[in-house]
Amino acid sequence: MDDQTGMTAALAEARLGRAEGGVPVGAALVVDGEILGVGHNRRVQQGSAIRHGETDCLENIGRLPASTYRRATMYTTLSPCDMCTGAILLYGIPRVVIGENQTFLGGEDLLRSRGVEVIVLQDPDCVQLMQQFISEAPELWNEDIGV
């Protein structure tokens, strides 16, 4: 599976989250070329404090052996926040592919410092989706990033 296929799955989740009235961040976890699961930010939909795209993806998949996480790639439409960065590090996910970091720059440097391979695509669809959301719902965006 190439990186664009993984990002396409994450972007579909981001669009679904926006259609539900939430924050448009999506994620997909791929192991050995297979998408194990996907997720999207559900903070608004579930009244959750922690259901970001990456954490929702991990929760949707359920418990996995540590050896599985250590072969995984996390695809996320937006640079991961500190909470999601921590989840990636906690589970030892060695590779993260990010749709864009122009609208928000998360814990990429921390990931790299801990040996995680970080690839940023600057996908124009990811950028456009977040820019539109931020202009339409700045209060919701600021709440999501803790501002």
Side-chain angles (χ1 to χ4, degrees), residues 38-101:
V38 295
H40 58 273
N41 187 307
R42 295 179 198 255
R43 290 185 68 251
V44 172
Q45 299 92 314
Q46 294 185 352
S48 171
I50 62 169
R51 270 327 246 277
H52 281 193
E54 300 89 336
T55 56
D56 186 59
C57 177
L58 292 169
E59 182 67 16
N60 289 340
I61 294 167
R63 293 172 56 197
L64 298 172
S67 61
T68 302
Y69 293 113
R70 288 185 172 82
R71 298 190 323 271
T73 297
M74 175 67 78
Y75 291 86
T76 179
T77 57
L78 185 65
S79 185
C81 72
D82 290 343
M83 177 176 65
C84 295
T85 294
I88 291 163
L89 293 173
L90 177 68
Y91 290 105
I93 298 170
R95 186 169 184 267
V96 177
V97 178
I98 298 167
E100 67 103 350
N101 64 5

